[in-house]
Amino acid sequence: MKKYIKIMSVLLGLFSLAAVGGSIYVANILPDTFSVLQGKKLSFTSDLPVVAECNTTQKSVAVSASVKAGNVYSTEIMLFGIIPVKQVTVDVVNETYVIPGGEPFGIKLYTEGVMIVGMSDVDSPNGPDNPAYDAGVRVGDIIMALNGKAVSTNDEVAKIFSSSGGKAVKINYKRGTVAYSVSVTPVKSVSENTYKAGLWVRDSTAGIGTLTFFSPSTGVFAGLGHGVCDVDTGEIMPLSEGDIVKASINGITKGTKGTPGELKGFFVSETAWGQLYTNTETGVYGVINGYLQGKAIPVAMKQQVHQGVAYILVTLNGSAPQQYSVTIERVHFNDSGETKNMIIQVTDPKLLEATGGIVQGMSGSPIIQDGRLVGAVTHVFVNDPTRGYGIFAENMINTVKSIEIQYHKDVS
């Protein structure tokens, strides 16, 4: 009997440790906020063994069909329905319908200020010198003004330094969200016979990506699923203004292990198809001139995304997207990664034959599961091009809603 009690005590202790460890793990991977549709309660379609339980005073609020969008309540996430994990906030929202994309589009982006993309020594009479670096300026910083004058092009920056006559130039710049001001004294280049500060800057970029979705009620679009970054610094380029244009795919470089593939295309027209409003970590957003054809489908909340069969919309030739099967292998709920919320694997034989899996240019391709837009393709695994990351559509919708508010203000 004593031996039995001892065994049971050990098993109970192990179960307690496992329960504590499990609850800590689940608490860390779940976000602090969820959204649910009006009249619905928070539930999970993933394989996580959790349920949401409201307290007595809140339970009727959580499940009542009379709850209207805009209401907020809190609920307890329970492991196996019995072990409290964490309190989360639940926002009640209306269902959002969008037209999924899959069409290629060209991007023309002009920066706010100019981005420092490189620094190099100037061959001054006294030897190699880099005045800007010595003053504290670094790659990735955004120059907003020189000597009090706003600058937005490479030529403006070069002209101000070259015409300085060796006198100090005041630089107003941003590093992230923090503003700085320094004085830089250009030095004369022996080989070029002009004054320089030792900076390389960029004022624009262009490329091709995939449209994710379009809001038929407002004309706002979302694309890429990740921000447009500078090729040299990897930093998101601050948007001053920009356009999207229609594009066509005319070639494919197939992806292989260690070498990402690419969709090759060209701008069909120089006429703007739409205007860019913002370039963020979750993608590019703006307003389309006209209307995107297609059937509107609902957007999934993140807790509705689950492991299993799905499909993506991709254009491999011309401008018409086609449907290809994928599997959602894993879902990451944690808020810490806005663009890597799920892992997908391409399973469609036709897509694998044509591209090898996920390739550059497919970023933004809509991911659809259970008749809902659940996300967009964002990244490829370099060592396994059949697999990659996707972003939750809900993360992109949150940005779209803010754009829609601003857009209505602009046109009112």
Side-chain angles (χ1 to χ4, degrees):
M1 185 65 179
K2 290 183 178 179
K3 184 177 180 181
Y4 173 77
I5 294 174
K6 184 176 181 180
I7 292 173
M8 292 302 295
S9 297
V10 171
L11 291 176
L12 183 60
L14 291 174
F15 175 79
S16 298
L17 288 173
V20 171
S23 62
I24 293 174
Y25 169 76
V26 172
N28 287 332
I29 66 172
L30 289 179
D32 296 325
T33 303
F34 288 90
S35 295
V36 298
L37 299 178
Q38 179 172 304
K40 303 292 184 180
K41 63 179 181 179
L42 179 61
S43 61
F44 298 84
T45 56
S46 69
D47 292 335
L48 283 176
V50 296
V51 296
E53 292 288 346
C54 299
N55 61 39
T56 304
T57 59
Q58 294 172 323
K59 187 169 291 186
S60 60
V61 175
V63 301
S64 173
S66 65
V67 172
K68 295 183 179 180
N71 287 356
V72 178
Y73 64 88
S74 64
T75 189
E76 185 87 46
I77 302 295
M78 310 286 286
L79 184 64
F80 305 115
I82 56 174
I83 303 172
V85 172
K86 69 185 300 183
Q87 286 277 341
V88 298
T89 299
V90 179
D91 294 324
V92 183
V93 299
N94 287 318
E95 189 149 56
T96 300
Y97 285 82
V98 298
I99 297 175
E103 296 89 346
F105 69 106
I107 298 170
K108 297 179 179 180
L109 185 152
Y110 301 93
T111 61
E112 179 187 17
V114 294
M115 174 178 281
I116 299 174
V117 297
M119 307 188 80
S120 61
D121 288 341
V122 181
D123 56 335
S124 76
N126 297 319
D129 194 358
N130 194 310
Y133 186 89
D134 293 341
V137 179
R138 295 292 182 267
V139 169
D141 292 344
I142 310 297
I143 297 177
M144 305 302 296
L146 296 176
N147 285 337
K149 178 184 177 182
V151 291
S152 58
T153 69
N154 303 344
D155 290 342
E156 288 175 329
V157 173
K159 184 176 181 180
I160 289 174
F161 281 120
S162 64
S163 63
S164 67
K167 295 181 180 179
V169 175
K170 182 181 178 182
I171 301 180
N172 293 100
Y173 66 99
K174 292 195 303 184
R175 182 174 299 163
T177 58
V178 182
Y180 297 90
S181 177
V182 296
S183 289
V184 174
T185 302
V187 293
K188 197 167 191 178
S189 166
V190 174
S191 61
E192 298 183 47
N193 194 33
T194 188
Y195 287 94
K196 292 177 169 290
L199 296 171
W200 294 92
V201 297
R202 182 169 291 130
D203 59 12
S204 63
T205 190
I208 290 178
T210 300
L211 192 75
T212 305
F213 63 83
F214 165 82
S215 172
S217 60
T218 62
V220 175
F221 73 87
L224 295 186
H226 61 69
V228 176
C229 297
D230 179 75
V231 66
D232 293 306
T233 67
E235 299 290 333
I236 292 180
M237 300 190 72
L239 174 68
S240 171
E241 60 182 23
D243 296 323
I244 64 168
V245 297
K246 291 188 176 182
S248 181
I249 302 300
N250 63 350
I252 300 171
T253 299
K254 193 171 181 178
T256 58
K257 183 178 180 179
T259 306
E262 181 183 11
L263 296 180
K264 298 179 179 180
F266 60 94
F267 293 178
V268 173
S269 169
E270 292 298 312
T271 302
W273 186 23
Q275 292 74 49
L276 289 173
Y277 267 40
T278 187
N279 176 35
T280 73
E281 184 179 351
T282 64
V284 295
Y285 303 85
V287 177
I288 285 181
N289 303 327
Y291 193 85
L292 191 69
Q293 298 299 316
K295 178 182 177 181
I297 63 175
V299 175
M301 303 293 100
K302 52 180 170 278
Q303 68 273 12
Q304 294 177 302
V305 186
H306 60 87
Q307 294 176 341
V309 176
Y311 68 87
I312 60 177
L313 294 175
V314 181
T315 300
L316 299 183
N317 185 37
S319 58
Q322 300 294 323
Q323 177 178 314
Y324 300 96
S325 59
V326 299
T327 296
I328 298 177
E329 294 187 329
R330 189 176 301 173
V331 180
H332 301 293
F333 289 111
N334 197 287
D335 288 330
S336 61
E338 284 192 291
T339 63
K340 297 180 178 180
N341 306 128
M342 65 188 89
I343 295 176
I344 64 171
Q345 181 172 32
V346 176
T347 56
D348 195 290
K350 292 183 180 179
L351 187 57
L352 290 171
E353 175 63 26
T355 66
I358 299 170
V359 297
Q360 296 177 23
M362 284 170 57
S363 293
S365 297
I367 306 172
I368 298 171
Q369 184 183 58
D370 301 333
R372 294 177 176 273
L373 178 70
V374 299
V377 177
T378 59
H379 301 81
V380 60
F381 292 174
V382 176
N383 290 324
D384 182 3
T386 68
R387 301 166 71 234
Y389 286 112
I391 181 177
F392 286 141
E394 184 180 357
N395 288 354
M396 301 180 76
I397 281 293
N398 290 337
T399 302
V400 165
K401 289 179 179 178
S402 65
I403 294 296
E404 288 175 338
I405 293 172
Q406 183 62 47
Y407 175 61
H408 285 303
K409 285 182 180 178
D410 288 349
V411 299
S412 60

